[in-house]
Amino acid sequence: MSLPDATLHERIAKDPWTAYNIRLSDAVTTMPGKPDFLSGDFRLYAVLRTLSLLYHGDLTGLRVADLACLEGGFSLALAQRGANVLGIEARKRNLEKAQLLREHFELPNLEFSRGDVKEFSRDAFGTFDVVLALGILYHLDEPVSWLRQIAEATRGVLIVDTHFAPLRDTDLAQLDPTVGRLGGLERKELAGWTYEGRWFREVPRRGHVDPETDLWAAYSNDRSFWLTKGALQLALRGAGFESVFEQHDWIADHYDGYTAKLVRTMFVGAKPAAFTGGSRSGRPPGDR
């Protein structure tokens, strides 16, 4: 049974939500006054359009991993469309909010687990038709190695929404202040491949990230390595995604400002073999 409004108000009041405004009932939303996530979030519908295209409009039975799922908004939306979803989140505060969604909406195909996405692997969690890495790659210090690790657990498609590093130093001046803490261009080598990027300081001043209170910083590193857009494409190909493309429709009306000032984009990496046999896992979230 769905939770009563009084219980919902009480639990939401304990710790304000910061990521998704979810309507829980006619009278209760998680972030009153903010746009409704499930019915109007442009990024959510970009993800749904991409998956609908790849899976012919039917997400039923797909096994999905939502990495660094925050409060569970994307996980909930995909579970409501029939996917078997496992959301992984390191921060206890976020996970408690995600669990509220699972409890309230009573979806047996929705599960959440606490963990650092750096520990996500095929050995630990099995394989997935779809993996979402939305807003997490730019919080990692070894993004190329991590993409290879994630690729081993991905049967079909990986969707990456991330900031990227400008290639030219002259482009740094036009960045939004929120993403302006970037260093000089550097090159990294991995398995014979060369990747360019810039280090990003996770906190504006000297100090360390508090993993439980700094909800919008990296969980276990104080600086992160942002790949250039070219390096990100190369990293996805090197990880085993034969088809790599950018998803632009959701920012079409403000593309220049979004990519130049916020240096952010959405990449889709696909393994075509997964879409030619007509099979899908159809297994529950906890199965391998």
Side-chain angles (χ1 to χ4, degrees):
M1 178 180 293
S2 300
L3 299 174
D5 287 355
T7 301
L8 293 172
H9 279 301
E10 180 181 354
R11 291 178 61 171
I12 292 171
K14 287 182 179 179
D15 189 7
W17 288 50
T18 63
Y20 309 116
N21 182 32
I22 307 291
R23 178 161 294 282
L24 303 176
S25 72
D26 290 342
V28 182
T29 64
T30 57
M31 298 176 67
K34 299 294 183 179
D36 185 80
F37 174 75
L38 293 175
S39 66
D41 187 85
F42 292 140
R43 189 171 56 145
L44 170 62
Y45 278 88
V47 169
L48 293 175
R49 281 191 295 272
T50 298
L51 295 181
S52 180
L53 175 67
L54 292 172
Y55 291 101
H56 307 288
D58 182 13
L59 307 187
T60 305
L62 290 177
R63 191 166 191 239
V64 177
D66 184 8
L67 305 182
C69 68
L70 295 174
E71 299 159 350
F74 281 87
S75 298
L76 173 64
L78 289 175
Q80 288 178 328
R81 288 163 174 80
N84 296 318
V85 184
L86 173 63
I88 297 178
E89 172 59 38
R91 290 180 169 91
K92 180 181 178 182
R93 291 171 60 188
N94 285 336
L95 192 63
E96 289 176 347
K97 296 167 185 174
Q99 294 288 12
L100 172 61
L101 296 181
R102 182 179 187 273
E103 183 179 351
H104 178 66
F105 287 100
E106 302 178 295
L107 292 171
N109 56 325
L110 176 62
E111 291 189 7
F112 294 101
S113 176
R114 188 176 181 188
D116 190 334
V117 296
K118 291 181 179 180
E119 306 302 322
F120 179 82
S121 68
R122 178 174 181 164
D123 289 342
F125 293 97
T127 59
F128 296 81
D129 299 294
V130 177
V131 175
L132 303 181
L134 309 176
I136 184 58
L137 190 69
Y138 57 87
H139 285 310
L140 301 176
D141 50 359
E142 295 289 345
V144 177
S145 297
W146 188 75
L147 284 173
R148 294 188 175 209
Q149 178 180 321
I150 298 309
E152 293 179 354
T154 308
R155 285 191 294 266
V157 59
L158 168 67
I159 300 181
V160 179
D161 171 42
T162 186
H163 292 294
F164 59 89
L167 184 60
R168 299 184 298 260
D169 288 344
T170 52
D171 292 334
L172 296 175
Q174 61 181 323
L175 295 183
D176 186 280
T178 60
V179 296
R181 304 190 299 273
L182 288 169
L185 193 68
E186 296 188 20
R187 292 175 175 82
K188 285 175 167 270
E189 301 284 339
L190 181 66
W193 300 63
T194 301
Y195 302 93
E196 294 182 312
R198 299 174 186 269
W199 286 103
F200 175 80
R201 289 181 289 111
E202 287 287 338
V203 289
R205 297 173 296 278
R206 292 183 180 274
H208 296 284
V209 173
D210 185 329
E212 288 304 323
T213 60
D214 294 326
L215 297 179
W216 295 97
Y219 186 74
S220 56
N221 45 274
D222 292 327
R223 64 174 189 162
S224 302
F225 193 72
W226 289 17
L227 298 169
T228 65
K229 188 180 285 189
L232 179 53
Q233 296 178 64
L234 188 65
L236 287 167
R237 287 293 305 274
F241 296 99
E242 298 98 308
S243 296
V244 177
F245 54 93
E246 285 186 81
Q247 219 288 21
H248 290 317
D249 63 25
W250 68 295
I251 55 170
D253 59 345
H254 53 281
Y255 175 81
D256 290 338
Y258 194 82
T259 56
K261 293 183 178 180
L262 292 177
V263 285
R264 191 156 182 162
T265 190
M266 182 182 289
F267 270 103
V268 179
K271 297 181 177 180
F275 304 97
T276 58
S279 63
R280 56 180 61 181
S281 65
R283 292 180 289 188
D287 195 6
R288 298 187 184 181

